[in-house]
Amino acid sequence: MSSLAYSAPASAADIELLNVSYDPTRELWRDVNEHFIPIYEKQTGNTLTIKQSHGGSSTQARAVIDGLEADVVTLASYLDTNAVAKSGLIKEGWIDRLPNRSLPYTSTIVFVVRKGNPKGIKDWPDLVKPGIETITPNPKTSGNGYLSFFAAWGSVVLRGGSHDDAVKYVTNLYKQVPVLDSGARGATTTFVQKGIGDVHVAWENEAHLEVAEAKGELEIVNPPISILAEPYVAVVDDNVDRAEGHREAAEAYLKYLYTDEAQELLAKHFYRPTNEAILKNSIGKTFGEIKRFPITEIAKDWPDAHKQFIGEGGVFDTIYKPKQ
């Protein structure tokens, strides 16, 4: 931690940052903030408050574009962060400003099932068996839903299935989704509190949180293959430059995520740190062994995947018919 040094201003200031994030990261950022704030205050003499905003990732990106004054965005996918950049709020080249292409951690999508796994769900093909109800949020509004669609698609085509096989699979999958929530936390509420569904296709971190809180009533199933989720972070340039001290604090906040202390916090909350040593130490005792494929295995890049699968007129629009 001593490697981080923040420049003190001529006079102390009260600074309030807003971190606009995706749905299930509440607990993570609360913990990170509690560790970062006293370090920053001690080194700069400033008083720092960090507020959090959470919701479906695409919905959050739209809110920032429409005027929500985020100092940093910590959204679920490249497309959401880049949408904010394309609006002019984040300067070009943002992805190379922080280590590991602005990825302090990665994640994936796993399954949560009822105690004892009564339906015997072990892999993606099991989700379309007759009578299986799957809970997953809307891929058009939720990062969880977005990544889950790609994971489901890849589970077919990366095992030798054709494009038509994948279309058939996702068509059947979404036919068996009784409730399509707008965000990850809403899907958790549907599955855990309302007791709807046999399996929840969830962020890895959310799955661990659900199971811990369920006290033995839920279990995690790691599918053999899933998506490499890449939740990028960025300073919102246009907003931080409106108030003195905001840029310095926001940049320090995101740089802190790459310290050993913060990387350990990420692992503690079941996000996969990008520090290889800390990740390696966590595999086995914290994370399951899952083959995680990058988006480039099923599309040219994130924009191409979005256009093909989730964007207007893409595969999802052709296969999903809202229940009346």
Side-chain angles (χ1 to χ4, degrees), residues 271-323:
Y271 298 83
R272 297 187 180 222
T274 49
N275 179 310
E276 287 295 333
I278 294 173
L279 175 62
K280 187 176 180 181
N281 189 47
S282 301
I283 291 288
K285 67 180 182 181
T286 303
F287 302 109
E289 292 281 3
I290 303 170
K291 180 187 176 184
R292 299 187 299 157
F293 64 87
I295 198 67
T296 50
E297 292 280 316
I298 62 171
K300 186 175 73 173
D301 51 24
W302 285 107
D304 179 51
H306 182 80
K307 182 178 179 182
Q308 280 193 58
F309 302 117
I310 309 298
E312 187 136 356
V315 171
F316 184 74
D317 282 351
T318 67
I319 63 102
Y320 181 71
K321 302 293 182 271
K323 293 175 174 61

Side-chain angles (χ1 to χ4, degrees), residues 18 124 140 146 165 213 242 253 264 270 299 323:
L18 175 60
W124 294 94
K140 285 185 172 286
Y146 196 66
D165 292 334
E213 292 182 348
R242 292 179 184 177
Y253 182 44
E264 294 280 6
F270 303 101
K323 293 175 174 61

Side-chain angles (χ1 to χ4, degrees), residues 69-284:
E69 292 194 5
D71 293 280
V72 299
V73 285
T74 57
L75 300 170
S77 77
Y78 170 82
L79 261 294
D80 293 330
T81 307
N82 204 46
V84 179
K86 285 166 72 174
S87 76
L89 293 171
I90 300 174
K91 293 175 183 174
E92 287 185 15
W94 64 268
I95 203 167
D96 294 317
R97 281 195 234 164
L98 288 165
N100 200 50
R101 292 179 52 101
S102 294
L103 279 172
Y105 68 91
T106 63
S107 190
T108 194
I109 299 295
V110 301
F111 305 155
V112 182
V113 298
R114 308 291 176 191
K115 182 180 180 180
N117 195 5
K119 298 294 179 76
I121 295 165
K122 296 179 180 177
D123 200 352
W124 294 94
D126 297 326
L127 305 190
V128 295
K129 288 180 177 177
I132 300 294
E133 285 192 334
T134 297
I135 300 300
T136 182
N138 192 327
K140 285 185 172 286
T141 57
S142 161
N144 175 183
Y146 196 66
L147 275 297
S148 296
F149 184 98
F150 296 143
W153 185 274
S155 76
V156 177
V157 298
L158 297 182
R159 288 164 158 172
S162 67
H163 182 278
D164 288 346
D165 292 334
V167 169
K168 182 179 179 182
Y169 175 78
V170 294
T171 300
N172 290 333
L173 174 64
Y174 285 93
K175 278 182 181 174
Q176 295 175 205
V177 175
V179 181
L180 201 66
D181 290 288
S182 63
R185 195 50 61 88
T188 298
T189 298
T190 295
F191 184 71
V192 179
Q193 296 178 15
K194 297 180 181 176
I196 298 171
D198 302 297
V199 55
H200 179 200
V201 182
W203 282 112
E204 184 171 47
N205 60 284
E206 186 79 347
H208 280 274
L209 184 64
E210 285 177 39
V211 169
E213 292 182 348
K215 298 183 177 12
E217 293 304 308
L218 299 174
E219 300 174 9
I220 292 174
V221 172
N222 291 315
I225 186 171
S226 194
I227 187 79
L228 170 63
E230 298 178 311
Y232 295 84
V233 300
V235 170
V236 184
D237 297 298
D238 204 50
N239 292 342
V240 296
D241 288 337
R242 292 179 184 177
E244 187 176 349
H246 278 236
R247 175 173 288 280
E248 293 79 7
E251 289 179 349
Y253 182 44
L254 295 189
K255 287 176 183 174
Y256 168 73
L257 300 175
Y258 296 89
T259 64
D260 287 354
E261 179 178 87
Q263 291 281 295
E264 294 280 6
L265 288 176
L266 288 162
K268 172 187 152 188
H269 288 272
F270 303 101
Y271 298 83
R272 297 187 180 222
T274 49
N275 179 310
E276 287 295 333
I278 294 173
L279 175 62
K280 187 176 180 181
N281 189 47
S282 301
I283 291 288

